[in-house]
Amino acid sequence: GAGVSQSPRYKVAKRGQDVALRCDPISGHVSLFWYQQALGQGPEFLTYFQNEAQLDKSGLPSDRFFAERPEGSVSTLKIQRTQQEDSAVYLCASSLGQMQYNEQFFGPGTRLTVL
Amino acid sequence: GNSVTQMEGPVTLSEEAFLTINCTYTATGYPSLFWYVQYPGEGLQLLLKATKADDKGSNKGFEATYRKETTSFHLEKGSVQVSDSAVYFCALVVSIGGTSYGKLTFGQGTILTVHP
């Protein structure tokens, strides 16, 4: 079946522009995560959804970052007034359940470059 | 807080060599431990996991044992292949109060290159 998909795969933005990154999780997956991966580093947690509820947004680096999952399936990560330090790969992952040992399935990521 | 430390890379080996990638962790609760792999041009994939102390996770010839006494989860493979060339990430999830939703904390990753 289809895995997690993300779009666009690559995004170049000028500093100050707003961007929106989309994630399509595996159908039926309850949990959805966003991670940020800087070059040469491991992914870092941004936010978590259980269905449409955003239960944890402790990893969002500033109030310029906003995520939503209004119908409990597709999710969008929005970054307002992008800065150069926002350049990274943004990963989306989904899992069937809500327990710690449920496998997370990752999308290919969106590489954001802010000029 | 929670953190994962991996051995510094990159690691370069010849085919059929023995592989060890060290991973140690600190956790405020009781963690489950994972190894994820990222092949060139692909997304992160779960390689193996262990959910309690002394458990051994294994997959594709790779193994890792959850050592609570040394807070470690070292990845090993007896004979690597060229196709094992990838980036390997150690990660943990902490259960707090008996519940957790799976928020992963990753190490920085180790690049493995295997030559024929």
Side-chain angles (χ1 to χ4, degrees):
Chain A
V4 178
S5 61
Q6 294 186 245
S7 61
R9 292 291 311 278
Y10 303 90
K11 177 69 178 178
V12 178
K14 292 182 179 179
R15 189 163 57 94
Q17 283 185 333
D18 298 348
V19 298
L21 312 180
R22 177 186 170 106
C23 172
D24 285 80
I26 294 172
S27 178
H29 276 197
V30 168
S31 296
L32 186 145
F33 302 81
W34 284 98
Y35 295 88
Q36 180 190 58
Q37 186 175 17
L39 188 64
Q41 301 297 314
E44 293 192 354
F45 171 80
L46 292 177
T47 188
Y48 164 69
F49 290 87
Q50 184 179 63
N51 296 307
E52 69 278 4
Q54 188 175 21
L55 299 187
D56 188 341
K57 52 183 180 179
S58 62
L60 296 177
S62 77
D63 59 7
R64 296 186 295 104
F65 287 70
F66 172 78
E68 59 183 4
R69 193 186 185 197
E71 297 179 356
S73 55
V74 171
S75 178
T76 304
L77 176 67
K78 298 179 179 178
I79 309 173
Q80 298 177 324
R81 304 181 303 281
T82 52
Q83 304 295 315
Q84 285 190 324
E85 61 263 28
D86 300 335
S87 295
V89 176
Y90 291 85
L91 299 172
C92 176
S94 70
S95 66
L96 182 61
Q98 56 210 49
M99 298 304 292
Q100 65 184 85
Y101 45 77
N102 288 138
E103 179 177 355
Q104 291 186 31
F105 294 85
F106 282 81
T110 295
R111 182 178 296 277
L112 173 65
T113 303
V114 181
L115 303 177
Chain B
N2 304 317
S3 66
V4 176
T5 302
Q6 292 182 229
M7 66 184 290
E8 294 188 9
V11 175
T12 302
L13 296 173
S14 297
E15 206 165 25
E16 299 183 1
F18 184 85
L19 168 71
T20 300
I21 300 178
N22 289 338
C23 171
T24 57
Y25 67 88
T26 58
T28 54
Y30 194 88
S32 295
L33 303 173
F34 305 82
W35 277 99
Y36 278 82
V37 59
Q38 189 169 33
Y39 297 105
E42 299 184 17
L44 279 167
Q45 303 173 24
L46 178 64
L47 180 60
L48 53 83
K49 68 181 181 183
T51 58
K52 60 182 187 294
D54 299 324
D55 269 2
K56 177 185 285 188
S58 61
N59 186 24
K60 299 182 180 180
F62 291 89
E63 293 183 339
T65 301
Y66 185 168
R67 301 287 189 199
K68 187 177 179 183
E69 63 277 12
T70 55
T71 62
S72 65
F73 192 55
H74 305 321
L75 183 68
E76 297 182 336
K77 186 173 186 182
S79 176
V80 294
Q81 305 301 311
V82 172
S83 57
D84 293 327
S85 298
V87 184
Y88 292 81
F89 293 92
C90 186
L92 65 80
V93 167
V94 173
S95 171
I96 299 174
T99 62
S100 173
Y101 53 80
K103 169 182 172 180
L104 285 161
T105 298
F106 287 89
Q108 73 270 32
T110 300
I111 300 172
L112 171 66
T113 303
V114 180
H115 293 298

